[in-house]
């Protein structure tokens, strides 16, 4: 089982921010990634539909015989994590709990902000998770529906991105938070802009990066970590339901891979 790959799923390219951290922390592990870019964003979709799409990606990777599943999407985590955990025999990890823990640890004022998709914010999962672990925490949430389309269209370094982020985050700036959870795995690609808008005094929490530390712990706990693989045999397989070319451009830029294979796949009835 050690030699099997870890599976990552996301609504699009956002989960690549988690994969980047996984490649750094777990260089011996093979990675299979599915990005449902054709149906992205998930944030505005009904919860039941998000759950269905998440299961479709999960079944695709189960057919690849993965040893662990990482739901590298906050919206999908909120909608489907508990259901999938109950039904799979392999470890399943979402991104909300690790991000919540890190925010509680980082804050000095107990004023924590969360930015995410409409679906993630509506679920209240971050709010409830943080409050269950720290009753003194005051949590403010803000939906940022324009952020994911900016990232998916490869515009995350553009002047448009700077303008949209600045305008969108105005309500959060007024909350006086000292810690801000990037509650969508797309958002770290906008991190420099978000940091500039929020100011150097605000600590940004990358929920995806925090998740990889938990992945590492669970691999060791179940004794399924791959620790002897040569770099030549490490697999990096990427699948997308949308444009393979656009996915490849963003992925190669973000992951620093000069060459990578991206396969277009069909899920469900799409």
């Amino acid at each position: 089982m050690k030699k099997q790959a870890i599976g990552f799923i996301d609504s699009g390219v956002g989960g690549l921010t988690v994969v980047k951290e996984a490649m750094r922390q777990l260089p011996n592990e093979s990675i299979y990634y599915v990005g449902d870019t054709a149906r992205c964003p998930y944030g505005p979709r009904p919860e039941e539909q998000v759950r269905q799409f998440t299961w479709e990606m999960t079944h695709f990777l189960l057919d690849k015989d993965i040893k662990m599943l990482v739901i590298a999407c906050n919206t999908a985590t909120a909608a489907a994590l508990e259901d999938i955990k109950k039904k799979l025999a392999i470890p399943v990890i979402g991104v909300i709990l690790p991000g919540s823990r890190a925010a509680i640890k980082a804050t000095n004022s107990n004023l924590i902000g969360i930015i995410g998709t409409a679906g993630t914010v509506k679920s209240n999962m971050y709010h409830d998770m943080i409050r269950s672990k720290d009753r003194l925490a005051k949590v403010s949430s803000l939906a940022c529906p324009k952020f994911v389309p900016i990232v998916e269209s490869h515009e995350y370094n553009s002047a448009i991105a700077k303008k949209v982020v600045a305008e969108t985050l105005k309500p959060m700036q007024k909350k006086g938070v000292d810690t801000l959870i990037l509650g969508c795995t797309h958002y770290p690609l906008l991190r420099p802009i978000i940091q500039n808008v929020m100011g150097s005094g605000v600590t940004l929490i990358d929920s995806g990066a925090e998740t990889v530390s938990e992945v590492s712990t669970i691999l060791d706990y179940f004794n399924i970590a791959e620790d002897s693989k040569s770099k030549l045999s490490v697999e990096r397989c990427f699948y997308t339901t949308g444009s393979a070319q656009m996915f490849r451009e963003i992925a190669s830029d973000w992951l620093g891979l000069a060459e990578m294979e991206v396969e277009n796949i069909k899920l469900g009835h799409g």
Side-chain angles (χ1 to χ4, degrees):
M1 192 171 189
K2 289 186 175 185
K3 298 188 181 302
Q4 294 164 231
I6 302 172
F8 293 79
I9 56 176
D10 182 63
S11 61
V13 298
L16 293 172
T17 62
V18 189
V19 169
K20 182 176 183 178
E21 188 64 21
M23 289 170 60
R24 187 183 72 82
Q25 289 191 39
L26 306 167
N28 294 321
E29 298 291 347
S30 290
I31 291 169
Y32 291 171
Y33 179 95
V34 177
D36 192 9
T37 49
R39 300 184 293 194
C40 187
Y42 279 10
R45 293 183 180 275
E47 182 178 333
E48 185 55 41
Q49 190 176 52
V50 173
R51 189 178 297 115
Q52 175 193 332
F53 291 174
T54 306
W55 267 114
E56 288 172 6
M57 291 188 288
T58 298
H59 285 305
F60 177 85
L61 287 179
L62 289 176
D63 287 342
K64 302 291 183 184
D65 198 28
I66 57 172
K67 64 182 177 183
M68 175 187 286
L69 177 68
V70 180
I71 304 179
C73 173
N74 287 265
T75 307
T77 295
L81 174 64
E82 293 307 316
D83 185 39
I84 292 176
K85 280 177 68 174
K86 289 176 185 176
K87 295 175 181 175
L88 296 195
I90 60 173
V92 182
I93 300 172
V95 288
I96 291 178
L97 176 57
S100 299
R101 279 204 202 106
I104 293 169
K105 185 177 179 180
T107 186
N108 292 313
S109 66
N110 286 325
L111 298 177
I112 299 173
I114 302 153
I115 53 175
T117 68
T120 298
V121 170
K122 184 180 178 181
S123 76
N124 280 324
M125 277 194 70
Y126 270 110
H127 177 278
D128 295 346
M129 188 72 70
I130 292 169
R131 291 282 292 153
S132 71
K133 297 185 177 300
D134 185 354
R135 287 292 175 185
L136 297 178
K138 295 181 180 178
V139 184
S140 301
S141 301
L142 177 67
C144 305
K146 295 181 180 179
F147 286 11
V148 171
I150 286 173
V151 172
E152 289 287 331
S153 60
H154 208 181
E155 294 287 337
Y156 48 87
N157 290 318
S158 68
I160 293 174
K162 293 178 181 178
K163 180 179 179 182
V164 169
V165 171
E167 290 177 352
T168 302
L169 292 182
K170 283 180 181 178
M172 186 58 73
Q173 287 176 300
K174 297 175 183 177
K175 299 293 184 179
V177 301
D178 75 341
T179 304
L180 181 66
I181 298 174
L182 305 182
C184 173
T185 50
H186 284 75
Y187 295 0
L189 283 97
L190 294 165
R191 183 173 188 140
I193 303 175
I194 294 171
Q195 188 74 75
N196 185 58
V197 170
M198 294 303 298
S200 58
V202 176
T203 300
L204 301 186
I205 302 296
D206 182 343
S207 57
E210 297 295 334
T211 299
V212 177
S213 296
E214 187 153 318
V215 168
S216 180
T217 300
I218 292 176
L219 286 171
D220 289 338
Y221 178 80
F222 286 103
N223 194 29
I224 56 175
E226 172 58 80
D227 53 13
S228 61
K229 186 174 287 186
S230 74
K231 289 188 177 181
L232 292 175
S233 59
V234 173
E235 290 186 276
R236 306 274 192 250
C237 300
F238 299 91
Y239 305 93
T240 177
T241 58
S243 166
Q245 180 179 350
M246 177 69 81
F247 186 98
R248 189 180 296 106
E249 288 175 5
I250 297 173
S252 60
D253 176 41
W254 185 245
L255 299 179
L257 298 176
E259 293 184 12
M260 60 184 299
E261 290 297 320
V262 179
E263 182 180 338
N264 179 268
I265 61 171
K266 298 292 183 183
L267 295 175
H269 302 291

